[in-house]
Amino acid sequence: MTHPMPSPSPFVILAMPRAGTHYLEELLNEHASVLSNGELLNPYDTNWVDKDRFLGSDRELLELAYLRYPNATDKKVTRVGCKINEPQFRERPGFFAELARWPCLKVILLVRRNTLESLRSLTQARQTRQWLKYISSNDANPCVKLTVACCEAYFKTADEFHNLVARSFASTDLHVVEYESLLGEPSACLATIWEFLGIPAVRLSGATILKRQEARPLDQTIENFGELRRHFAGGPYARFFEVGDRLNSRRSGKRETALP
């Protein structure tokens, strides 16, 4: 069964939780031709007032996203999208396959270089119930304590999800964006996204309202960081526990020293 050809052209932002999708979407929506409508599969997302949409089929949900998108807008929209985080696919097991079949879909995969940063941020948000920050303040988020099992499961899930996305979409239809690059050089990152979506570039206003919730390093925000670092030392995830001079030396190509 084939789908009707959607117009405007569709895109989706895929990511693990706490990878910067809200910030990316805020930047995307600065473009006069782009409309990104939040989390299609999140029942609490205010972009989608129809809670009964989840009673429909996976195809009907995608038709809602790409053919009958909800937000009234004065824009002349030529690209319409939404975003979906990895756990939301688990709540609708067949949805990813249906998404992968949608015609002419462009996929933006947003990743963090350090998956532990994503897990730390997710744990903090669950504890504080503060998922977004709009006002600058000096209030520090609480430190968190993570179990080895939780870290291992999260790292494995992230690897599997990123690999699934890479396998499921043609390279010409997939664009990978690093959160760290988006944060440090948003204009340069957005320039590559505009090109990927096939639309003229625009200058960012610099007026984004979202604020970064945590800027402290991992060893200052995870109570048992040292214990976790010792456990993962020498393994495939040891790089997530590199901090300070060791991390800087890796990025600059200098010889690394042994962990203390």
Side-chain angles (χ1 to χ4, degrees), residues 2-242:
T2 60
H3 299 294
M5 184 64 68
S7 180
S9 299
F11 69 89
V12 66
I13 304 167
L14 302 180
M16 291 295 291
R18 312 300 289 174
T21 58
H22 281 84
Y23 179 54
L24 174 57
E25 187 171 63
E26 187 179 13
L27 296 177
L28 289 175
N29 279 328
E30 288 198 22
H31 199 291
S33 300
V34 174
L35 181 64
S36 191
N37 282 311
E39 296 182 44
L40 174 63
L41 299 184
N42 182 350
Y44 303 104
D45 193 305
T46 56
N47 287 286
W48 307 88
V49 295
D50 181 12
K51 301 296 190 294
D52 291 337
R53 70 185 185 276
F54 295 113
L55 301 177
S57 66
D58 294 336
R59 176 181 176 180
E60 288 170 333
L61 267 175
L62 288 171
E63 289 175 348
L64 175 64
Y66 295 130
L67 304 179
R68 301 188 304 277
Y69 46 94
N71 279 352
T73 179
D74 294 330
K75 289 182 173 183
K76 294 182 179 179
V77 178
T78 64
R79 304 294 186 271
V80 64
C82 60
K83 56 196 182 75
I84 306 173
N85 289 336
E86 183 275 336
Q88 295 166 348
F89 286 113
R90 284 181 263 161
E91 298 170 5
R92 293 185 74 100
F95 192 83
F96 186 93
E98 192 72 28
L99 178 71
R101 289 193 289 268
W102 193 264
C104 302
L105 182 68
K106 294 289 188 178
V107 178
I108 302 170
L109 177 62
L110 186 57
V111 301
R112 292 186 81 148
R113 294 173 191 158
N114 191 334
T115 305
L116 181 59
E117 295 269 10
S118 172
L119 176 57
R120 186 278 315 278
S121 180
L122 178 62
T123 307
Q124 283 179 324
R126 284 172 172 169
Q127 289 184 1
T128 63
R129 302 291 183 183
Q130 295 179 357
W131 296 90
L132 298 173
K133 182 177 180 179
Y134 296 101
I135 301 174
S136 298
S137 70
N138 294 323
D139 296 337
N141 286 319
C143 293
V144 299
K145 189 172 184 177
L146 304 173
T147 66
V148 167
C150 176
C151 291
E152 287 180 336
Y154 196 84
F155 298 160
K156 181 179 179 182
T157 296
D159 285 347
E160 291 175 347
F161 180 63
H162 295 155
N163 289 334
L164 173 64
V165 173
R167 293 195 309 269
S168 301
F169 299 95
S171 59
T172 52
D173 296 327
L174 175 62
H175 183 64
V176 180
V177 177
E178 288 188 340
Y179 165 82
E180 292 81 4
S181 297
L182 182 67
L183 195 66
E185 300 179 292
S187 295
C189 273
L190 266 292
T192 65
I193 295 175
W194 305 141
E195 181 178 3
F196 172 66
L197 294 178
I199 53 178
V202 298
R203 183 185 297 273
L204 296 177
S205 69
T208 54
I209 60 175
L210 279 175
K211 307 298 181 183
R212 190 176 181 188
Q213 289 182 281
E214 181 60 83
R216 294 175 296 171
L218 289 167
D219 58 342
Q220 294 181 23
T221 52
I222 300 176
E223 293 179 8
N224 58 329
F225 182 84
E227 170 195 342
L228 295 172
R229 182 170 63 172
R230 287 189 292 273
H231 175 85
F232 287 99
Y237 302 123
R239 66 190 186 280
F240 297 155
F241 298 87
E242 296 175 355

